[in-house]
Structure formats: C-alpha cells, structure tokens
Amino acid sequence: MVDLNGQYQAIKEQVNSSISTILETSAFINGADVKEFQKELEAYLGVKHVIPCANGTDALQIAMMGLGLKPGDEVITADFTFAATVEVIALLQLTPVLVDVEPDTFNIDVAAIERAITPKTKAIVPVHLFGQCANMDAILALAEKYNLFVIEDNAQAIGANYTSKNGKKQKAGTIGHVGSTSFFPSKNLGCYGDGGAIFTNDDELAHTLRGIVNHGMYVRYHHDVVGVNSRLDSIQAAVLRAKLPKLDAYCDARRNAARKYSAAFAGQAHIVVPVTTNCTSAICENCDCHVFHQYTLKITNGKRDDLVQHLSDKGIPCGVYYPIPLHRQKAYLDDRYNEADFPVTNQLIKEVISLPMHTELDDEQIEYITSTVIDFVNA
C-alpha cells in the first residue's frame, strides 16, 4: 500500500546524517531538531503555533483537554473513520455523538451534525478523511451559530488546501479552533515511528497545550495544569525535517497517480472514483484540495469482498477503510444510535476499497492494478 523504503532512498543521506548527529549529542527529547521542525511546520502551514507531541491520538486528546471540555459534554464526529477520533472522546469521559457522512466525499454530513446538536454539545470534530477537507464553511457556520468548538482531525490530509466560499485558501488543520495530525509512518508526512502535532492560531490555547504535553509544566517541577507525557522525539523530528520540504512534491505525486487511476476507471459502470470537492472533475489537472492519503473506490455491484481476495491473489495490496462503523464497534455501542440514521455509512462499508497509493507508484504498476480491478469487476 505504501513504499516507505523507496521514499527513504531519496532522503537517505540527510536522514542518516541527522540521526547520527542526534546519537552523538544525545539530545533525544526536545532537541534542536524538534524546535526547528516546529518552526518549519508553522511556516509551511501558515499557522501561529505548532505543538509537537508523541502521536496523532495524543494530539486529539490534548486538543480536547486544552479546550477545557468536561465529562458529559457532547462531541459530534463522523461514524465512518478510524477509532482514534472517538476513542479520545471516551477516554476523557466526554459523550461521543456519531453522525453519518456524505456518500461522495466520505466526510461528515453537515446536515447530520445540526440534527445532532443539543444543549450539551460543546464541539465538532470533522475528520478530513482520505486527504481532503470536510465542508469547513458550513461547519464553522454551525459552530458560530451554536457556540461550539471545531477540532480538526487532520491525520490524513496534511498538505491539502481548503478554499472557502470567500476565496480564502488555508491549509487543512488550520481552519478551526484547533487542529491535530499524525506522523505515523504511512501518512503523507510520516516519521519512522510515532509522532503527532497540534495546530492553533490562539495564543492562550497554545500556551495551555504546551503545558499539557509536558506533564503540565512550564517551569521544571512546577505543574500548573493537569498534563500528560507526550513529546515528539528528536529522531522523529529529524526525519520529518527531511520530508517536510518534499511534502508538496509528495502530494503532487499522489495526485498524479490518482488522476491516472481515475482516467483508467472512467466509464466503468460499477466503479465509482473519488471526487475532489473544490474541483470540477475527479481528474482535475490543477487540484490542490485533495492529497490522496488513500485512493478509495466504491464497487457497486456487490463484488467488493471478492475483489479484495482477487487482488491479494494477484499480489496487489489493498485495504478496506473501514469495514465496521464506529456505532457498531463493541467499545462504542450505545442505545442512542439508530441504524436508520447511518444509511450512507452502512452502505460504504460494503463498497469501499482503497488501492495502493504512494509517491513511488509508476505507470506500469498503475496499469496492472487498474486492469486487474476492471477485468474482475466486469467478469
């Protein structure tokens, strides 16, 4: 699904040299590379504050802690996503409220958000799924109307641009009150272990978050807020520093592969290709709104599961993201949920399949993958 070794070969010299320096200096925690990466990512994103942390799940949890959410507060998020989003809500004894998603973008349905708002609702967590932003104009309007926080889960969309209705362009994760991301190795900007970060333009919130990630300390052994131990280590920061200047090129390579995939699948009756919300076509030549963390098809003739097996037999990796909606997961079962409220999610789990997507895909691989999919689906 990803070719991390191929990507490493292009940055090998810089990565190896940086790691060697860290080993020699033994500045493993909060070393110079962490501080420099923070500044470089702030500049790239156009955001005032980046707070590095240990992983993307921590980033979400710390963002919620920083906003002062209290046990029992309701937090609305998407049913069709990875469990980390709802996991941290539950860990903080907040009340997760899961809602359906859009059938074309797979992102959270704004109308479903508004239907779910109650006097206990305090925050919305849009997940920018598979590489493009949710409808942030509409979500921010709801947040203003109902006095809610917006916490962007940007683990899959770093580098994507969002163009508002007024023409303003912002990087994914910097649009709401606070954003979070993961640097898991398979992400578009990934390190060689775990890592994450939180983004905000709010000075006071940033100060709070910086304390939380470091045991609640601003001065050593003075604990001013309840905190956690969640710090990005220097080796991971060094890897990210090597990759960050290449992030736009990585995203372009993914978009180029996505265009070739979509062109090959054009006209196939039972194959629905991804859409790009800010563009006029699924194979838009100038798209910058989607970074294709995943290239996810819908197979609409009931052959998705058989296709997964067929691709495996042909040596083609693929993934089903996600096979079980969060409202059906054992850990998050709740009598509040009605199956009739999740028609899109319940259909998507039967149809979606993600194909290999990474910066090293070549035309021969894409042709083999697409022809294999087409031949099987049409058989």
Side-chain angles (χ1 to χ4, degrees):
M1 290 293 286
V2 294
D3 182 4
L4 296 177
N5 186 263
Q7 191 181 70
Y8 164 67
Q9 295 305 319
I11 56 174
K12 181 176 181 178
E13 184 175 339
Q14 181 181 352
V15 167
N16 289 359
S17 174
S18 296
I19 292 175
S20 178
T21 299
I22 292 167
L23 295 175
E24 292 291 339
T25 61
S26 301
F28 300 117
I29 300 294
N30 285 335
D33 279 290
V34 177
K35 296 177 175 65
E36 290 304 311
F37 173 66
Q38 174 188 320
K39 294 175 185 176
E40 290 159 3
L41 188 56
E42 286 169 347
Y44 174 82
L45 294 172
V47 69
K48 289 177 70 175
H49 304 285
V50 166
I51 298 92
C53 63
N55 57 71
T57 306
D58 280 3
L60 270 175
Q61 178 177 324
I62 293 160
M64 293 181 193
M65 292 172 68
L67 292 171
L69 301 181
K70 305 297 183 185
D73 288 347
E74 293 180 355
V75 179
I76 299 173
T77 193
D79 187 42
F80 186 68
T81 187
F82 183 61
T85 312
V86 70
E87 180 177 63
V88 297
I89 298 170
L91 281 170
L92 293 173
Q93 296 185 312
L94 309 172
T95 301
V97 178
L98 300 170
V99 301
D100 210 2
V101 297
E102 298 173 339
D104 51 356
T105 68
F106 315 122
N107 278 323
I108 195 166
D109 184 326
V110 174
I113 295 174
E114 185 157 27
R115 288 194 298 270
I117 293 173
T118 76
K120 293 183 178 181
T121 305
K122 300 300 179 184
I124 305 167
V125 183
V127 181
H128 300 326
L129 201 68
F130 298 153
Q132 69 178 328
C133 287
N135 185 347
M136 291 302 293
D137 282 312
I139 290 169
L140 291 174
L142 280 182
E144 183 175 2
K145 179 178 178 181
Y146 294 100
N147 192 29
L148 306 175
F149 293 117
V150 176
I151 305 162
E152 295 175 76
D153 183 339
N154 195 43
Q156 298 187 18
I158 194 163
N161 289 310
Y162 181 79
T163 304
S164 299
K165 291 178 181 177
N166 64 8
K168 182 180 180 181
K169 186 172 288 192
Q170 294 171 273
K171 288 292 185 185
T174 70
I175 307 161
H177 296 91
V178 61
S180 66
T181 201
S182 166
F183 300 127
F184 189 77
S186 64
K187 302 300 185 187
N188 293 31
L189 180 62
C191 54
Y192 292 164
D194 270 319
I198 313 154
F199 322 134
T200 186
N201 286 303
D202 184 320
D203 296 340
E204 185 176 348
L205 176 58
H207 177 73
T208 301
L209 296 171
R210 288 198 176 96
I212 292 173
V213 301
N214 190 33
H215 296 290
M217 293 189 295
Y218 302 100
V219 177
R220 192 166 178 80
Y221 301 126
H222 292 256
H223 304 274
D224 295 348
V225 296
V226 175
V228 298
N229 176 22
S230 185
R231 294 168 295 200
L232 181 69
D233 74 68
S234 299
I235 288 176
Q236 304 310 330
V239 173
L240 293 165
R241 290 191 71 196
K243 287 189 174 187
L244 181 58
K246 300 179 180 296
L247 178 55
D248 286 342
Y250 291 162
C251 293
D252 285 342
R254 288 170 175 268
R255 292 183 189 112
N256 187 47
R259 281 191 288 268
K260 291 176 179 178
Y261 271 140
S262 292
F265 292 129
Q268 296 296 318
H270 304 299
I271 300 174
V272 180
V273 301
V275 302
T276 47
T277 54
N278 281 182
C279 304
T280 57
S281 165
I283 52 173
C284 176
E285 290 300 317
N286 299 305
C287 170
D288 65 359
C289 64
H290 204 317
V291 295
F292 290 97
H293 174 63
Q294 302 291 349
Y295 182 88
T296 302
L297 300 172
K298 291 191 290 185
I299 306 299
T300 60
N301 62 352
K303 297 178 102 174
R304 194 279 308 276
D305 290 345
D306 292 336
L307 175 60
V308 170
Q309 184 60 54
H310 181 68
L311 292 178
S312 177
D313 293 343
K314 293 291 185 179
I316 300 172
C318 63
V320 174
Y321 311 118
Y322 297 91
I324 306 171
L326 293 177
H327 79 270
R328 293 189 199 165
Q329 295 285 357
K330 184 178 180 180
Y332 306 110
L333 292 174
D334 196 302
D335 291 340
R336 292 175 296 128
Y337 298 132
N338 185 331
E339 289 297 328
D341 293 330
F342 303 99
V344 175
T345 295
N346 288 339
Q347 188 64 29
L348 289 177
I349 62 172
K350 303 172 186 176
E351 295 180 345
V352 292
I353 183 171
S354 297
L355 301 181
M357 174 51 72
H358 52 82
T359 56
E360 315 306 309
L361 276 173
D362 60 37
D363 289 351
E364 183 178 358
Q365 291 170 323
I366 291 171
E367 195 283 327
Y368 177 62
I369 294 165
T370 55
S371 62
T372 302
V373 171
I374 291 169
D375 289 348
F376 182 82
V377 171
N378 290 333

